[in-house]
Short mmCIF file of all heavy atoms in Angstrom, two decimals:
data_model
loop_
_atom_site.label_atom_id
_atom_site.label_comp_id
_atom_site.label_asym_id
_atom_site.label_seq_id
_atom_site.Cartn_x
_atom_site.Cartn_y
_atom_site.Cartn_z
N MET A 1 0.62 -16.04 -10.92
CA MET A 1 1.86 -15.85 -11.62
C MET A 1 2.35 -17.18 -12.21
O MET A 1 2.86 -17.21 -13.32
CB MET A 1 2.89 -15.25 -10.66
CG MET A 1 4.19 -14.92 -11.30
SD MET A 1 3.95 -13.55 -12.43
CE MET A 1 5.60 -13.25 -12.90
N LYS A 2 2.19 -18.27 -11.44
CA LYS A 2 2.63 -19.57 -11.94
C LYS A 2 1.82 -20.00 -13.15
O LYS A 2 2.35 -20.61 -14.07
CB LYS A 2 2.50 -20.63 -10.84
CG LYS A 2 3.51 -20.49 -9.73
CD LYS A 2 3.34 -21.60 -8.72
CE LYS A 2 4.32 -21.45 -7.58
NZ LYS A 2 4.18 -22.52 -6.59
N LYS A 3 0.53 -19.64 -13.17
CA LYS A 3 -0.32 -20.01 -14.30
C LYS A 3 0.14 -19.31 -15.57
O LYS A 3 0.16 -19.90 -16.64
CB LYS A 3 -1.78 -19.66 -14.01
CG LYS A 3 -2.44 -20.56 -13.01
CD LYS A 3 -3.89 -20.18 -12.82
CE LYS A 3 -4.53 -21.06 -11.78
NZ LYS A 3 -5.95 -20.72 -11.59
N ILE A 4 0.51 -18.05 -15.45
CA ILE A 4 0.98 -17.30 -16.60
C ILE A 4 2.26 -17.90 -17.15
O ILE A 4 2.41 -18.06 -18.37
CB ILE A 4 1.18 -15.81 -16.24
CG1 ILE A 4 -0.16 -15.17 -15.92
CG2 ILE A 4 1.87 -15.06 -17.38
CD1 ILE A 4 -0.07 -13.77 -15.40
N ILE A 5 3.17 -18.27 -16.28
CA ILE A 5 4.43 -18.88 -16.72
C ILE A 5 4.16 -20.21 -17.39
O ILE A 5 4.74 -20.52 -18.44
CB ILE A 5 5.39 -19.04 -15.52
CG1 ILE A 5 5.85 -17.66 -15.03
CG2 ILE A 5 6.60 -19.89 -15.91
CD1 ILE A 5 6.65 -17.68 -13.77
N LEU A 6 3.26 -21.02 -16.85
CA LEU A 6 2.93 -22.31 -17.46
C LEU A 6 2.25 -22.13 -18.81
O LEU A 6 2.53 -22.88 -19.75
CB LEU A 6 2.03 -23.12 -16.52
CG LEU A 6 2.71 -23.69 -15.28
CD1 LEU A 6 1.68 -24.35 -14.37
CD2 LEU A 6 3.80 -24.67 -15.66
N ILE A 7 1.40 -21.13 -18.92
CA ILE A 7 0.74 -20.87 -20.20
C ILE A 7 1.76 -20.44 -21.25
O ILE A 7 1.75 -20.92 -22.38
CB ILE A 7 -0.37 -19.81 -20.03
CG1 ILE A 7 -1.53 -20.41 -19.24
CG2 ILE A 7 -0.85 -19.30 -21.38
CD1 ILE A 7 -2.58 -19.40 -18.84
N LEU A 8 2.65 -19.54 -20.88
CA LEU A 8 3.68 -19.09 -21.82
C LEU A 8 4.63 -20.23 -22.21
O LEU A 8 5.01 -20.35 -23.38
CB LEU A 8 4.47 -17.93 -21.22
CG LEU A 8 3.71 -16.62 -21.05
CD1 LEU A 8 4.56 -15.59 -20.33
CD2 LEU A 8 3.25 -16.10 -22.40
N LEU A 9 4.99 -21.06 -21.26
CA LEU A 9 5.85 -22.20 -21.55
C LEU A 9 5.15 -23.19 -22.50
O LEU A 9 5.73 -23.69 -23.44
CB LEU A 9 6.26 -22.90 -20.26
CG LEU A 9 7.22 -24.07 -20.40
CD1 LEU A 9 8.54 -23.61 -20.99
CD2 LEU A 9 7.44 -24.72 -19.05
N GLY A 10 3.86 -23.43 -22.26
CA GLY A 10 3.08 -24.31 -23.13
C GLY A 10 2.98 -23.76 -24.55
O GLY A 10 3.08 -24.50 -25.52
N MET A 11 2.76 -22.45 -24.66
CA MET A 11 2.69 -21.83 -25.98
C MET A 11 4.01 -21.94 -26.72
O MET A 11 4.04 -22.17 -27.92
CB MET A 11 2.27 -20.37 -25.84
CG MET A 11 0.82 -20.20 -25.43
SD MET A 11 0.36 -18.49 -25.07
CE MET A 11 0.77 -17.67 -26.58
N LEU A 12 5.10 -21.79 -26.01
CA LEU A 12 6.42 -21.89 -26.61
C LEU A 12 6.67 -23.30 -27.12
O LEU A 12 7.15 -23.49 -28.24
CB LEU A 12 7.50 -21.48 -25.61
CG LEU A 12 8.93 -21.60 -26.10
CD1 LEU A 12 9.19 -20.58 -27.20
CD2 LEU A 12 9.89 -21.40 -24.96
N ILE A 13 6.33 -24.28 -26.35
CA ILE A 13 6.56 -25.68 -26.74
C ILE A 13 5.68 -26.04 -27.94
O ILE A 13 6.15 -26.68 -28.88
CB ILE A 13 6.29 -26.62 -25.55
CG1 ILE A 13 7.40 -26.45 -24.50
CG2 ILE A 13 6.22 -28.08 -26.00
CD1 ILE A 13 7.13 -27.15 -23.19
N LEU A 14 4.43 -25.64 -27.93
CA LEU A 14 3.52 -25.98 -29.03
C LEU A 14 3.85 -25.24 -30.31
O LEU A 14 3.63 -25.75 -31.40
CB LEU A 14 2.07 -25.70 -28.61
CG LEU A 14 1.51 -26.62 -27.54
CD1 LEU A 14 0.11 -26.18 -27.15
CD2 LEU A 14 1.51 -28.07 -28.01
N SER A 15 4.40 -24.05 -30.21
CA SER A 15 4.70 -23.27 -31.42
C SER A 15 6.05 -23.64 -32.02
O SER A 15 6.35 -23.24 -33.14
CB SER A 15 4.67 -21.78 -31.11
OG SER A 15 5.74 -21.44 -30.25
N SER A 16 6.86 -24.42 -31.32
CA SER A 16 8.19 -24.72 -31.85
C SER A 16 8.16 -25.74 -32.97
O SER A 16 9.06 -25.80 -33.78
CB SER A 16 9.10 -25.22 -30.72
OG SER A 16 8.60 -26.43 -30.21
N SER A 17 7.11 -26.55 -33.06
CA SER A 17 7.02 -27.51 -34.16
C SER A 17 5.90 -27.09 -35.09
O SER A 17 4.75 -27.03 -34.70
CB SER A 17 6.76 -28.91 -33.63
OG SER A 17 5.53 -28.96 -32.98
N THR A 18 6.26 -26.74 -36.32
CA THR A 18 5.25 -26.31 -37.28
C THR A 18 5.14 -27.34 -38.38
O THR A 18 6.09 -28.07 -38.65
CB THR A 18 5.65 -24.95 -37.91
OG1 THR A 18 6.86 -25.14 -38.63
CG2 THR A 18 5.83 -23.89 -36.85
N PRO A 19 4.00 -27.42 -39.04
CA PRO A 19 3.87 -28.38 -40.13
C PRO A 19 4.63 -27.97 -41.38
O PRO A 19 4.68 -28.72 -42.33
CB PRO A 19 2.36 -28.40 -40.38
CG PRO A 19 1.88 -27.09 -39.91
CD PRO A 19 2.78 -26.72 -38.77
N TYR A 20 5.22 -26.78 -41.35
CA TYR A 20 5.92 -26.29 -42.52
C TYR A 20 7.43 -26.47 -42.44
O TYR A 20 8.15 -25.96 -43.27
CB TYR A 20 5.59 -24.81 -42.75
CG TYR A 20 4.12 -24.58 -42.93
CD1 TYR A 20 3.39 -23.86 -42.01
CD2 TYR A 20 3.45 -25.12 -44.02
CE1 TYR A 20 2.04 -23.66 -42.18
CE2 TYR A 20 2.10 -24.95 -44.19
CZ TYR A 20 1.39 -24.21 -43.28
OH TYR A 20 0.05 -24.03 -43.43
N SER A 21 7.90 -27.19 -41.44
CA SER A 21 9.33 -27.47 -41.36
C SER A 21 9.55 -28.86 -40.78
O SER A 21 8.80 -29.32 -39.94
CB SER A 21 10.04 -26.42 -40.51
OG SER A 21 9.56 -26.45 -39.19
N ILE A 22 10.59 -29.52 -41.28
CA ILE A 22 10.97 -30.85 -40.82
C ILE A 22 12.48 -30.90 -40.71
O ILE A 22 13.18 -30.03 -41.22
CB ILE A 22 10.47 -31.96 -41.77
CG1 ILE A 22 11.08 -31.79 -43.17
CG2 ILE A 22 8.96 -32.01 -41.83
CD1 ILE A 22 10.81 -32.94 -44.11
N LYS A 23 13.00 -31.92 -40.05
CA LYS A 23 14.44 -32.13 -40.03
C LYS A 23 14.85 -32.73 -41.37
O LYS A 23 14.21 -33.64 -41.88
CB LYS A 23 14.83 -33.06 -38.90
CG LYS A 23 14.63 -32.46 -37.54
CD LYS A 23 15.05 -33.44 -36.48
CE LYS A 23 14.78 -32.83 -35.11
NZ LYS A 23 15.08 -33.76 -34.03
N CYS A 24 15.91 -32.21 -41.94
CA CYS A 24 16.38 -32.70 -43.24
C CYS A 24 17.00 -34.08 -43.06
O CYS A 24 18.02 -34.23 -42.40
CB CYS A 24 17.39 -31.73 -43.83
SG CYS A 24 18.01 -32.28 -45.44
N TYR A 25 16.37 -35.09 -43.66
CA TYR A 25 16.87 -36.45 -43.51
C TYR A 25 18.09 -36.72 -44.37
O TYR A 25 18.85 -37.64 -44.12
CB TYR A 25 15.77 -37.48 -43.77
CG TYR A 25 15.02 -37.31 -45.08
CD1 TYR A 25 15.50 -37.85 -46.26
CD2 TYR A 25 13.82 -36.64 -45.11
CE1 TYR A 25 14.81 -37.71 -47.44
CE2 TYR A 25 13.11 -36.50 -46.28
CZ TYR A 25 13.61 -37.04 -47.45
OH TYR A 25 12.92 -36.90 -48.62
N LYS A 26 18.34 -35.90 -45.38
CA LYS A 26 19.56 -36.06 -46.18
C LYS A 26 20.77 -35.49 -45.45
O LYS A 26 21.86 -36.05 -45.52
CB LYS A 26 19.39 -35.40 -47.54
CG LYS A 26 18.38 -36.12 -48.42
CD LYS A 26 18.25 -35.47 -49.77
CE LYS A 26 17.25 -36.20 -50.63
NZ LYS A 26 17.09 -35.57 -51.94
N CYS A 27 20.59 -34.39 -44.75
CA CYS A 27 21.68 -33.81 -43.97
C CYS A 27 22.01 -34.69 -42.76
O CYS A 27 23.16 -34.79 -42.37
CB CYS A 27 21.32 -32.41 -43.49
SG CYS A 27 21.38 -31.16 -44.76
N ARG A 28 20.99 -35.30 -42.19
CA ARG A 28 21.19 -36.13 -41.01
C ARG A 28 22.12 -37.31 -41.32
O ARG A 28 22.90 -37.74 -40.49
CB ARG A 28 19.86 -36.64 -40.49
CG ARG A 28 19.94 -37.14 -39.08
CD ARG A 28 18.63 -37.59 -38.52
NE ARG A 28 17.52 -36.73 -38.89
CZ ARG A 28 16.27 -37.10 -38.85
NH1 ARG A 28 15.94 -38.30 -38.47
NH2 ARG A 28 15.31 -36.27 -39.20
N LYS A 29 22.04 -37.83 -42.56
CA LYS A 29 22.93 -38.93 -42.97
C LYS A 29 24.39 -38.48 -42.95
O LYS A 29 25.28 -39.27 -42.70
CB LYS A 29 22.57 -39.42 -44.36
CG LYS A 29 21.26 -40.16 -44.42
CD LYS A 29 20.96 -40.59 -45.84
CE LYS A 29 19.61 -41.24 -45.94
NZ LYS A 29 19.26 -41.57 -47.33
N ALA A 30 24.63 -37.20 -43.23
CA ALA A 30 25.99 -36.66 -43.26
C ALA A 30 26.43 -36.15 -41.89
O ALA A 30 27.53 -35.65 -41.75
CB ALA A 30 26.08 -35.54 -44.28
N GLY A 31 25.56 -36.25 -40.88
CA GLY A 31 25.92 -35.80 -39.55
C GLY A 31 25.62 -34.34 -39.27
O GLY A 31 26.02 -33.81 -38.25
N VAL A 32 24.90 -33.68 -40.17
CA VAL A 32 24.54 -32.28 -40.00
C VAL A 32 23.06 -32.21 -39.61
O VAL A 32 22.24 -32.95 -40.14
CB VAL A 32 24.77 -31.49 -41.32
CG1 VAL A 32 24.35 -30.05 -41.16
CG2 VAL A 32 26.21 -31.60 -41.75
N HIS A 33 22.73 -31.34 -38.69
CA HIS A 33 21.34 -31.18 -38.26
C HIS A 33 20.79 -29.89 -38.86
O HIS A 33 21.07 -28.81 -38.36
CB HIS A 33 21.24 -31.15 -36.74
CG HIS A 33 21.75 -32.40 -36.11
ND1 HIS A 33 21.04 -33.58 -36.12
CD2 HIS A 33 22.90 -32.67 -35.47
CE1 HIS A 33 21.73 -34.51 -35.51
NE2 HIS A 33 22.87 -33.99 -35.09
N ALA A 34 20.02 -30.01 -39.94
CA ALA A 34 19.45 -28.85 -40.61
C ALA A 34 17.93 -28.98 -40.65
O ALA A 34 17.37 -30.07 -40.58
CB ALA A 34 19.98 -28.74 -42.02
N ILE A 35 17.27 -27.85 -40.76
CA ILE A 35 15.82 -27.80 -40.84
C ILE A 35 15.43 -27.49 -42.29
O ILE A 35 15.99 -26.59 -42.91
CB ILE A 35 15.25 -26.70 -39.91
CG1 ILE A 35 15.62 -26.99 -38.46
CG2 ILE A 35 13.75 -26.57 -40.08
CD1 ILE A 35 15.00 -28.25 -37.89
N ALA A 36 14.47 -28.25 -42.80
CA ALA A 36 13.97 -28.02 -44.15
C ALA A 36 12.59 -27.37 -44.04
O ALA A 36 11.73 -27.85 -43.31
CB ALA A 36 13.87 -29.34 -44.91
N ASN A 37 12.40 -26.29 -44.77
CA ASN A 37 11.13 -25.57 -44.76
C ASN A 37 10.33 -25.92 -46.01
O ASN A 37 10.89 -26.20 -47.06
CB ASN A 37 11.36 -24.06 -44.72
CG ASN A 37 12.00 -23.64 -43.43
OD1 ASN A 37 11.57 -24.06 -42.36
ND2 ASN A 37 13.03 -22.82 -43.52
N ARG A 38 9.02 -25.88 -45.87
CA ARG A 38 8.16 -26.21 -47.00
C ARG A 38 8.35 -25.19 -48.10
O ARG A 38 8.42 -23.99 -47.86
CB ARG A 38 6.71 -26.21 -46.53
CG ARG A 38 5.73 -26.61 -47.58
CD ARG A 38 5.02 -27.85 -47.18
NE ARG A 38 4.01 -28.19 -48.17
CZ ARG A 38 2.73 -28.28 -47.92
NH1 ARG A 38 2.29 -28.12 -46.72
NH2 ARG A 38 1.91 -28.60 -48.88
N SER A 39 8.46 -25.66 -49.33
CA SER A 39 8.70 -24.80 -50.48
C SER A 39 7.44 -24.72 -51.33
O SER A 39 7.24 -25.54 -52.23
CB SER A 39 9.88 -25.33 -51.29
OG SER A 39 10.08 -24.53 -52.42
N PHE A 40 6.62 -23.74 -51.04
CA PHE A 40 5.38 -23.58 -51.80
C PHE A 40 5.66 -23.12 -53.23
O PHE A 40 4.91 -23.45 -54.14
CB PHE A 40 4.45 -22.59 -51.09
CG PHE A 40 3.90 -23.13 -49.81
CD1 PHE A 40 4.39 -22.69 -48.59
CD2 PHE A 40 2.90 -24.08 -49.81
CE1 PHE A 40 3.89 -23.18 -47.40
CE2 PHE A 40 2.39 -24.59 -48.63
CZ PHE A 40 2.88 -24.14 -47.42
N ALA A 41 6.75 -22.40 -53.43
CA ALA A 41 7.10 -21.96 -54.78
C ALA A 41 7.37 -23.16 -55.68
O ALA A 41 6.94 -23.18 -56.84
CB ALA A 41 8.32 -21.04 -54.73
N ASP A 42 8.06 -24.16 -55.18
CA ASP A 42 8.32 -25.37 -55.96
C ASP A 42 7.03 -26.14 -56.23
O ASP A 42 6.87 -26.74 -57.28
CB ASP A 42 9.32 -26.28 -55.25
CG ASP A 42 10.72 -25.73 -55.27
OD1 ASP A 42 11.06 -25.00 -56.22
OD2 ASP A 42 11.49 -26.04 -54.34
N GLU A 43 6.13 -26.14 -55.27
CA GLU A 43 4.88 -26.88 -55.44
C GLU A 43 3.98 -26.22 -56.47
O GLU A 43 3.32 -26.90 -57.25
CB GLU A 43 4.15 -27.00 -54.10
CG GLU A 43 4.85 -27.92 -53.14
CD GLU A 43 4.10 -28.08 -51.83
OE1 GLU A 43 2.95 -27.65 -51.72
OE2 GLU A 43 4.70 -28.67 -50.91
N TYR A 44 3.96 -24.90 -56.50
CA TYR A 44 3.08 -24.21 -57.45
C TYR A 44 3.66 -24.17 -58.86
O TYR A 44 2.93 -24.06 -59.82
CB TYR A 44 2.79 -22.79 -56.97
CG TYR A 44 1.99 -22.74 -55.70
CD1 TYR A 44 2.33 -21.89 -54.68
CD2 TYR A 44 0.89 -23.57 -55.53
CE1 TYR A 44 1.59 -21.86 -53.50
CE2 TYR A 44 0.15 -23.54 -54.36
CZ TYR A 44 0.50 -22.68 -53.36
OH TYR A 44 -0.23 -22.65 -52.20
N SER A 45 4.98 -24.25 -58.97
CA SER A 45 5.60 -24.16 -60.29
C SER A 45 5.53 -25.49 -61.04
O SER A 45 5.94 -25.57 -62.18
CB SER A 45 7.05 -23.70 -60.16
OG SER A 45 7.81 -24.68 -59.49
N GLY A 46 5.04 -26.51 -60.41
CA GLY A 46 4.91 -27.81 -61.07
C GLY A 46 5.79 -28.83 -60.38
O GLY A 46 7.01 -28.66 -60.29
N ARG A 47 5.18 -29.87 -59.89
CA ARG A 47 5.94 -30.90 -59.20
C ARG A 47 5.72 -32.23 -59.89
O ARG A 47 4.67 -32.45 -60.50
CB ARG A 47 5.56 -30.96 -57.74
CG ARG A 47 4.09 -31.14 -57.49
CD ARG A 47 3.79 -31.06 -56.04
NE ARG A 47 2.40 -30.62 -55.88
CZ ARG A 47 1.82 -30.48 -54.75
NH1 ARG A 47 2.47 -30.72 -53.65
NH2 ARG A 47 0.58 -30.08 -54.68
N PRO A 48 6.67 -33.12 -59.80
CA PRO A 48 6.56 -34.39 -60.51
C PRO A 48 5.45 -35.29 -59.98
O PRO A 48 4.84 -36.03 -60.74
CB PRO A 48 7.93 -35.04 -60.31
CG PRO A 48 8.56 -34.34 -59.18
CD PRO A 48 7.94 -32.98 -59.11
N ASP A 49 5.19 -35.24 -58.69
CA ASP A 49 4.17 -36.11 -58.10
C ASP A 49 3.27 -35.27 -57.19
O ASP A 49 3.72 -34.77 -56.16
CB ASP A 49 4.85 -37.22 -57.30
CG ASP A 49 3.90 -38.34 -56.93
OD1 ASP A 49 2.68 -38.16 -57.11
OD2 ASP A 49 4.37 -39.39 -56.47
N PRO A 50 1.99 -35.12 -57.53
CA PRO A 50 1.11 -34.25 -56.74
C PRO A 50 0.78 -34.78 -55.34
O PRO A 50 0.25 -34.05 -54.53
CB PRO A 50 -0.15 -34.14 -57.59
CG PRO A 50 -0.11 -35.29 -58.52
CD PRO A 50 1.33 -35.65 -58.71
N ASP A 51 1.11 -36.02 -55.04
CA ASP A 51 0.84 -36.57 -53.71
C ASP A 51 1.91 -36.21 -52.70
O ASP A 51 1.78 -36.50 -51.51
CB ASP A 51 0.71 -38.09 -53.77
CG ASP A 51 -0.52 -38.54 -54.54
OD1 ASP A 51 -1.49 -37.75 -54.60
OD2 ASP A 51 -0.51 -39.64 -55.09
N TYR A 52 3.00 -35.59 -53.15
CA TYR A 52 4.12 -35.27 -52.27
C TYR A 52 4.27 -33.76 -52.13
O TYR A 52 4.15 -33.03 -53.10
CB TYR A 52 5.43 -35.84 -52.84
CG TYR A 52 5.54 -37.33 -52.65
CD1 TYR A 52 4.90 -38.22 -53.50
CD2 TYR A 52 6.30 -37.85 -51.62
CE1 TYR A 52 5.01 -39.59 -53.32
CE2 TYR A 52 6.42 -39.22 -51.44
CZ TYR A 52 5.77 -40.08 -52.29
OH TYR A 52 5.88 -41.43 -52.11
N CYS A 53 4.53 -33.30 -50.90
CA CYS A 53 4.86 -31.90 -50.69
C CYS A 53 6.39 -31.77 -50.72
O CYS A 53 7.12 -32.72 -50.49
CB CYS A 53 4.28 -31.36 -49.39
SG CYS A 53 4.69 -32.29 -47.93
N ILE A 54 6.86 -30.57 -51.03
CA ILE A 54 8.28 -30.34 -51.24
C ILE A 54 8.84 -29.47 -50.13
O ILE A 54 8.26 -28.46 -49.76
CB ILE A 54 8.51 -29.66 -52.61
CG1 ILE A 54 7.97 -30.55 -53.72
CG2 ILE A 54 9.99 -29.37 -52.82
CD1 ILE A 54 7.97 -29.89 -55.07
N TYR A 55 9.99 -29.89 -49.61
CA TYR A 55 10.73 -29.15 -48.60
C TYR A 55 12.13 -28.87 -49.13
O TYR A 55 12.67 -29.65 -49.91
CB TYR A 55 10.85 -29.95 -47.30
CG TYR A 55 9.55 -30.15 -46.57
CD1 TYR A 55 8.71 -31.21 -46.89
CD2 TYR A 55 9.17 -29.28 -45.56
CE1 TYR A 55 7.51 -31.39 -46.22
CE2 TYR A 55 7.97 -29.47 -44.89
CZ TYR A 55 7.16 -30.52 -45.22
OH TYR A 55 5.98 -30.70 -44.55
N ARG A 56 12.72 -27.76 -48.72
CA ARG A 56 14.12 -27.43 -49.06
C ARG A 56 14.85 -27.05 -47.78
O ARG A 56 14.35 -26.29 -46.97
CB ARG A 56 14.19 -26.26 -50.02
CG ARG A 56 13.88 -26.62 -51.44
CD ARG A 56 14.24 -25.44 -52.34
NE ARG A 56 13.97 -25.75 -53.70
CZ ARG A 56 14.88 -26.22 -54.55
NH1 ARG A 56 16.10 -26.40 -54.15
NH2 ARG A 56 14.55 -26.49 -55.79
N CYS A 57 16.07 -27.57 -47.65
CA CYS A 57 16.88 -27.20 -46.49
C CYS A 57 17.86 -26.10 -46.90
O CYS A 57 18.00 -25.78 -48.08
CB CYS A 57 17.61 -28.41 -45.91
SG CYS A 57 19.09 -28.90 -46.79
N GLN A 58 18.56 -25.57 -45.93
CA GLN A 58 19.49 -24.47 -46.18
C GLN A 58 20.70 -24.90 -46.99
O GLN A 58 21.42 -24.07 -47.52
CB GLN A 58 19.92 -23.85 -44.86
CG GLN A 58 20.69 -24.82 -43.98
CD GLN A 58 20.79 -24.32 -42.56
OE1 GLN A 58 20.00 -23.49 -42.14
NE2 GLN A 58 21.74 -24.82 -41.83
N TYR A 59 20.94 -26.21 -47.09
CA TYR A 59 22.07 -26.71 -47.86
C TYR A 59 21.67 -27.12 -49.27
O TYR A 59 22.47 -27.68 -50.00
CB TYR A 59 22.71 -27.89 -47.12
CG TYR A 59 23.32 -27.46 -45.81
CD1 TYR A 59 22.71 -27.80 -44.61
CD2 TYR A 59 24.47 -26.69 -45.76
CE1 TYR A 59 23.25 -27.40 -43.40
CE2 TYR A 59 25.01 -26.27 -44.57
CZ TYR A 59 24.39 -26.63 -43.39
OH TYR A 59 24.92 -26.21 -42.20
N GLY A 60 20.43 -26.86 -49.66
CA GLY A 60 19.99 -27.08 -51.03
C GLY A 60 19.34 -28.41 -51.31
O GLY A 60 19.01 -28.69 -52.46
N HIS A 61 19.16 -29.24 -50.30
CA HIS A 61 18.48 -30.52 -50.53
C HIS A 61 17.00 -30.29 -50.81
O HIS A 61 16.37 -29.47 -50.17
CB HIS A 61 18.63 -31.45 -49.33
CG HIS A 61 20.03 -31.90 -49.08
ND1 HIS A 61 20.67 -31.69 -47.90
CD2 HIS A 61 20.90 -32.54 -49.89
CE1 HIS A 61 21.89 -32.19 -47.96
NE2 HIS A 61 22.06 -32.70 -49.17
N LYS A 62 16.48 -31.04 -51.76
CA LYS A 62 15.06 -30.99 -52.08
C LYS A 62 14.44 -32.29 -51.59
O LYS A 62 14.83 -33.37 -52.01
CB LYS A 62 14.87 -30.85 -53.59
CG LYS A 62 13.52 -30.41 -54.02
CD LYS A 62 13.50 -30.31 -55.54
CE LYS A 62 12.76 -29.09 -55.99
NZ LYS A 62 12.66 -29.03 -57.44
N LEU A 63 13.49 -32.18 -50.66
CA LEU A 63 12.90 -33.35 -50.02
C LEU A 63 11.44 -33.49 -50.44
O LEU A 63 10.72 -32.50 -50.50
CB LEU A 63 12.97 -33.21 -48.50
CG LEU A 63 14.31 -32.80 -47.92
CD1 LEU A 63 14.17 -32.49 -46.45
CD2 LEU A 63 15.33 -33.87 -48.15
N TYR A 64 11.02 -34.70 -50.71
CA TYR A 64 9.64 -34.99 -51.06
C TYR A 64 9.03 -35.86 -49.98
O TYR A 64 9.56 -36.92 -49.66
CB TYR A 64 9.56 -35.73 -52.41
CG TYR A 64 10.06 -34.92 -53.57
CD1 TYR A 64 11.39 -35.00 -53.98
CD2 TYR A 64 9.22 -34.06 -54.26
CE1 TYR A 64 11.86 -34.26 -55.05
CE2 TYR A 64 9.68 -33.31 -55.32
CZ TYR A 64 11.00 -33.41 -55.71
OH TYR A 64 11.45 -32.66 -56.76
N VAL A 65 7.91 -35.41 -49.40
CA VAL A 65 7.24 -36.16 -48.33
C VAL A 65 5.77 -36.31 -48.71
O VAL A 65 5.10 -35.34 -49.06
CB VAL A 65 7.39 -35.42 -46.98
CG1 VAL A 65 6.67 -36.18 -45.88
CG2 VAL A 65 8.84 -35.21 -46.63
N ASN A 66 5.28 -37.55 -48.63
CA ASN A 66 3.89 -37.84 -48.96
C ASN A 66 2.96 -37.22 -47.94
O ASN A 66 3.21 -37.27 -46.74
CB ASN A 66 3.67 -39.35 -49.03
CG ASN A 66 2.32 -39.71 -49.57
OD1 ASN A 66 1.30 -39.36 -49.01
ND2 ASN A 66 2.33 -40.42 -50.68
N TYR A 67 1.87 -36.63 -48.41
CA TYR A 67 0.89 -35.98 -47.52
C TYR A 67 0.26 -36.97 -46.54
O TYR A 67 0.13 -36.68 -45.37
CB TYR A 67 -0.25 -35.36 -48.33
CG TYR A 67 0.13 -34.12 -49.09
CD1 TYR A 67 0.14 -34.11 -50.48
CD2 TYR A 67 0.44 -32.95 -48.42
CE1 TYR A 67 0.47 -32.97 -51.18
CE2 TYR A 67 0.76 -31.80 -49.11
CZ TYR A 67 0.77 -31.82 -50.49
OH TYR A 67 1.09 -30.68 -51.17
N ASP A 68 -0.14 -38.12 -47.03
CA ASP A 68 -0.92 -39.05 -46.23
C ASP A 68 -0.08 -40.01 -45.41
O ASP A 68 -0.34 -40.22 -44.22
CB ASP A 68 -1.87 -39.86 -47.13
CG ASP A 68 -2.83 -38.96 -47.87
OD1 ASP A 68 -3.26 -37.94 -47.30
OD2 ASP A 68 -3.16 -39.29 -49.03
N THR A 69 0.92 -40.60 -46.02
CA THR A 69 1.67 -41.67 -45.34
C THR A 69 2.96 -41.20 -44.70
O THR A 69 3.50 -41.87 -43.83
CB THR A 69 2.02 -42.80 -46.33
OG1 THR A 69 2.86 -42.27 -47.36
CG2 THR A 69 0.77 -43.39 -46.95
N GLY A 70 3.50 -40.07 -45.13
CA GLY A 70 4.76 -39.59 -44.59
C GLY A 70 5.97 -40.24 -45.26
O GLY A 70 7.10 -40.05 -44.81
N ASP A 71 5.74 -41.02 -46.33
CA ASP A 71 6.86 -41.64 -47.06
C ASP A 71 7.76 -40.55 -47.64
O ASP A 71 7.30 -39.49 -48.05
CB ASP A 71 6.35 -42.52 -48.18
CG ASP A 71 5.67 -43.77 -47.68
OD1 ASP A 71 5.95 -44.16 -46.53
OD2 ASP A 71 4.87 -44.35 -48.43
N LYS A 72 9.05 -40.85 -47.70
CA LYS A 72 10.03 -39.89 -48.19
C LYS A 72 10.66 -40.41 -49.47
O LYS A 72 10.93 -41.58 -49.61
CB LYS A 72 11.11 -39.66 -47.14
CG LYS A 72 10.55 -39.17 -45.84
CD LYS A 72 11.58 -39.20 -44.75
CE LYS A 72 10.94 -38.82 -43.43
NZ LYS A 72 11.77 -39.10 -42.32
N LYS A 73 10.89 -39.50 -50.41
CA LYS A 73 11.59 -39.84 -51.65
C LYS A 73 12.97 -39.26 -51.62
O LYS A 73 13.20 -38.17 -51.21
CB LYS A 73 10.88 -39.22 -52.85
CG LYS A 73 9.75 -40.02 -53.38
CD LYS A 73 9.33 -39.34 -54.66
CE LYS A 73 8.29 -40.05 -55.41
NZ LYS A 73 7.90 -39.38 -56.62
#
């Protein structure tokens, strides 16, 4: 029984962080904690820099994050 609980707890912890969402660094400056989800629609419709993936938060911020280095615009 303990093994099952540990397995379920491990699955919950590992599934809580996905590569398709990040903390919005623009909201964090204002003291709000929001999650930005990857916006594939913006990426396919044409993006200014192909080295950056695009995220959008619930407050409308558009975030650009470099694939390789993690630099933010």
Side-chain angles (χ1 to χ4, degrees):
M1 184 68 174
K2 288 182 182 180
K3 288 182 181 181
I4 294 173
I5 292 173
L6 288 175
I7 290 171
L8 292 175
L9 183 62
M11 289 173 57
L12 177 67
I13 290 171
L14 291 176
S15 68
S16 64
S17 63
T18 63
Y20 302 114
S21 63
I22 61 172
K23 292 180 182 176
C24 180
Y25 52 85
K26 291 182 180 179
C27 285
R28 198 178 319 160
K29 290 179 184 176
V32 178
H33 300 284
I35 299 295
N37 294 314
R38 183 118 177 240
S39 178
F40 291 105
D42 288 332
E43 290 182 10
Y44 294 135
S45 66
R47 54 185 154 179
D49 194 349
D51 293 334
Y52 285 80
C53 54
I54 300 172
Y55 292 86
R56 283 190 179 265
C57 80
Q58 63 195 20
Y59 295 107
H61 294 123
K62 197 180 222 184
L63 312 171
Y64 296 92
V65 179
N66 189 299
Y67 287 113
D68 300 324
T69 62
D71 290 338
K72 302 169 185 168
K73 276 188 175 180

